């Protein structure tokens, strides 16, 4: 629910009541691949017809436990690093 509540009001109003919308979203298209924003945006669009631009999501206000945590492991599944900043991890570990 916090993800939908992070949307600007002019977009968010299409998904009220939020708990019911979330429940309906979880009942459709379970095999979609993509980022979490794409996944949820696609489900909301299919449910309501309202398209959500990717830049509409304001995730800065979300608490850390609601954000993705990425792990970097080697070929032997040994943990090398972890963090919430994917771009920083990619820069550090791609050659």
């Amino acid at each position: 629910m916090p993800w939908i509540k992070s949307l600007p009001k002019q977009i968010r109003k299409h998904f009220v009541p939020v708990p019911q919308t979330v429940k309906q979203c979880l009942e459709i298209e379970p095999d979609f691949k993509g980022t979490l924003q794409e996944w949820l945006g696609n489900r909301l669009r299919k449910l309501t017809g309202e398209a959500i631009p990717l830049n509409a999501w304001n995730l800065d206000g979300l608490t850390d436990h609601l954000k993705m945590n990425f792990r970097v492991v080697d070929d032997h599944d040994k943990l090398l690093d972890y963090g919430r900043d994917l771009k920083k991890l990619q820069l550090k570990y791609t050659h």
Side-chain angles (χ1 to χ4, degrees), residues 70-83 93:
F70 302 96
R71 296 178 347 135
V72 179
V73 295
D74 66 11
D75 292 337
H76 304 289
D77 213 24
K78 178 184 173 192
L79 180 65
L80 301 175
D81 207 346
Y82 65 93
Y93 289 97

Side-chain angles (χ1 to χ4, degrees), residues 2-92:
W3 278 63
I4 292 175
K5 291 180 178 180
S6 79
L7 292 168
K9 186 176 182 178
Q10 68 270 19
I11 296 174
R12 187 178 63 238
K13 68 182 179 183
H14 297 283
F15 312 118
V16 175
V18 172
Q20 180 181 345
T21 302
V22 169
K23 184 177 183 282
Q24 290 174 325
C25 282
L26 295 174
E27 295 171 351
I28 59 175
E29 201 177 320
D31 62 344
F32 181 81
K33 306 266 189 281
T35 67
L36 191 52
Q37 292 96 329
E38 291 169 335
W39 175 82
L40 185 55
N42 187 42
R43 287 178 181 232
L44 291 169
R45 183 183 50 75
K46 289 206 179 242
L47 183 63
T48 66
E50 183 68 25
I52 302 172
L54 284 178
N55 64 356
W57 300 98
N58 180 14
L59 306 179
D60 294 335
L62 291 178
T63 57
D64 281 347
H65 77 278
L66 295 173
K67 296 178 184 176
M68 297 292 285
N69 196 11
F70 302 96
R71 296 178 347 135
V72 179
V73 295
D74 66 11
D75 292 337
H76 304 289
D77 213 24
K78 178 184 173 192
L79 180 65
L80 301 175
D81 207 346
Y82 65 93
R84 300 198 188 281
D85 188 339
L86 179 60
K87 294 209 182 293
K88 182 178 176 182
L89 290 169
Q90 287 174 324
L91 286 172
K92 185 175 178 180

